[in-house]
Amino acid sequence: MAQKFRALLDLCRRRGFLYQSAEIYGGLRGAYDYGPLGVELKKNILNSWWRRHVYYRDDVVGLDTSIITPHPVLKASGHVDEFTDLLVDCNLTKERFRPDKAPEIKLDKHGNIPIIAPDKTTALEWKEILEKQIIPNVKMSVEGNRILIYAKEVNLPDADGQNGSITFEMWNEQPSVQLAYHGYVEPNTNSPFLTDSRPFNLMFKTFLDPIDPIERVIQTTLDNAEQSKATIRQTVDDQLKPSTVFLRPETAQGVFVNFEQIVRTMKKTPPFGIAQVGKSFRNEIRLEHGIFRTPEFEQMELEYFVSPWEATHYFEYWRKERYNWWLEHACHPENFRQRDHTSKEMAHYATGCTDVEYLFPWGWGEIEGVAHRGGYDLAQHIKNTGANFEITDANPSLSERVQKAGNGNVDLIPTEKPAKYIPNVIESSCGLNRAMLAYLCDAFHEVDEGNGKPPRTVLRLDPRLAPIKCAVMPLVGKPELNSLSEKVAKTLRRKGWYTVVESQKLKIGKRYYRHDEIGTPWCVTVDYQSLEDDTVTIRDRDTGNQERVHWKEVNHVIDGKLMKGEADNLLV
Ligand code: GAP
């Protein structure tokens, strides 16, 4: 599986989907640039999402808000105080990791703890650090890149991660030493020599200020040199606060703070939604699996505002709607699933959350969260600004509204219609980069032609998502076919489809295979017969079947094929 994922990443690099950012300078960990094909794939996923949630409905409008977000907005939303992950450092390897994702300790058959170093030299270095700094006199041995630590007893912690311990054996009958064990070890090495966990805010902080804030930090520190570290920190924070801004960690807050503007200018009343697509930023402790977890990523978020008594209904509605969207573009729907959050996992604002997950080569991973945010966000912004976010429900009677919502399980139906209420929010929050990665994994197929050659790759992307829709191919070495090829390409380009003309000196079969590898659903071949009767062939990526049509028909035929997927889904 890992090999297949490496092959996919290699394809992405070779064929212009993804590049390491600033590669000529050695690259930046976790930062990626999207090449010509990556841009198209990402844009096509986004367009499908936007079409479905904005253009095909009359109850959702779009918005594009600022990435730079003032401190008070994110203080009110709870992100300044609560948007944290726990962080642990390994005293031995110096790795930093999230304990909630870390594995339990592994013991060998004698109950001892193997620590796996990258190589023999590192194992010897770590042995010395253990002996001199971490746990002097602990009984251990080194075999190749493995350090074996002798453990007398390992007590597992309780459900809260407390009261676990490891008792170590010592040389020369010295009294054994006990260390706390919270149920996890450093993921790469199985090392249990860890710091306590501490919360770590994930937001990128910066300063909107013409004066270098570092100067103010230095001056404040010098002025308070006699004070304790905590006091200096507080004074520095107070100094910087007026110019502190954050790169937004989710696009949603931009939607909430504009709620009243949209209601007023677009004449909307619940139920209605606001859609936004844009970049978000998180100082992630662990960057992993290519574009799966990066500090800079794009989100497609829909905040759907409803009355409190319709919230459960719409939570169910959006869970289904969003899951169906994922399945509609999938080759292997069995690799997508929904998973409800436990109360421990839930974000600080949510009263219910269901993730959509994809079975990546390393296991199930979240690609979207559908959350019932209740009235939390709007209420917080009302509390902090006095904003007028309440809805006065003047229109249809409650029972009509309930019927309109088309459900029998409306919760919290008040017996008296309230004059005013704060809308609840049902949110669908989907990572665009993760969507791209999931669909690439889903589409990646290795086909063995049975000819003794290594298998070739076919990306079976949904044609609506495929970066290049059509490759037009005149037969090799026949310049008289070029003009018709260009004409066909022009009609396809005018439809807004990314179309290329492939006239390299490669056999037609090889050119087909090169396009199969990047997911091009249709290749149009211009041959001798084309000059006689104006027909060309359209070859299908997945079946290899070819149909011959008049060249002027190509765009209609392809339009029909693309719209078929779209129309089928609309009937659902
Ligand atoms: N507004 C709600 C919200 O942001 P979230 O579960 O934290 O919820 C939503 O994020 C989605 O954003 C995730 O399901 C994932 O697809 C994407 N996402 C979150 N952090 C990411 C990261 N560091 N890199 C790439 N995608 C990320």
Side-chain angles (χ1 to χ4, degrees), residues 79 83 249-253 280-282 284 286-287 291-301 303 326 341 347 349 353 355-356 366-369 371 373 427-435:
H79 285 85
F83 195 58
E250 57 170 6
T251 72
Q253 294 307 321
S280 293
F281 299 82
R282 296 182 191 176
E284 297 280 1
R286 200 171 181 84
L287 303 164
I291 56 171
F292 180 78
R293 196 182 305 282
T294 50
E296 172 181 344
F297 55 99
E298 278 169 275
Q299 290 185 308
M300 306 187 285
E301 296 203 296
E303 311 303 323
W326 282 103
H341 274 208
Y349 49 73
C353 188
D355 282 348
V356 180
E366 175 194 340
I367 46 182
E368 167 166 355
R373 294 180 79 128
E427 172 188 72
S428 140
S429 176
C430 170
L432 179 52
N433 320 72
R434 279 195 196 173

Side-chain angles (χ1 to χ4, degrees), residues 276-343:
Q276 168 154 232
V277 177
K279 291 216 169 175
S280 293
F281 299 82
R282 296 182 191 176
N283 196 359
E284 297 280 1
I285 294 163
R286 200 171 181 84
L287 303 164
E288 53 186 358
H289 309 309
I291 56 171
F292 180 78
R293 196 182 305 282
T294 50
E296 172 181 344
F297 55 99
E298 278 169 275
Q299 290 185 308
M300 306 187 285
E301 296 203 296
L302 173 69
E303 311 303 323
Y304 199 77
F305 299 92
V306 297
S307 65
W309 52 92
E310 289 170 330
T312 306
H313 162 73
Y314 280 108
F315 183 42
E316 283 306 312
Y317 170 84
W318 281 110
R319 285 173 79 224
K320 281 201 199 106
E321 194 71 8
R322 289 298 308 137
Y323 189 46
N324 287 339
W325 179 87
W326 282 103
L327 300 186
E328 280 162 24
H329 299 91
C331 263
H332 299 284
E334 68 280 10
N335 289 339
F336 292 77
R337 73 173 185 193
Q338 287 180 296
R339 189 181 66 81
D340 293 333
H341 274 208
T342 60
S343 55

Side-chain angles (χ1 to χ4, degrees), residues 379-429:
Q380 283 297 106
H381 291 304
I382 293 172
K383 199 164 90 188
N384 283 277
T385 63
N388 177 17
F389 286 168
E390 283 188 323
I391 294 292
T392 308
D393 199 348
N395 293 329
S397 75
L398 255 186
S399 57
E400 276 169 346
R401 288 179 58 85
V402 169
Q403 277 170 17
K404 216 168 96 188
N407 70 95
N409 64 345
V410 176
D411 59 334
L412 296 173
I413 303 175
T415 44
E416 290 289 313
K417 192 168 104 178
K420 284 183 172 227
Y421 65 86
I422 297 173
N424 278 13
V425 174
I426 307 302
E427 172 188 72
S428 140
S429 176

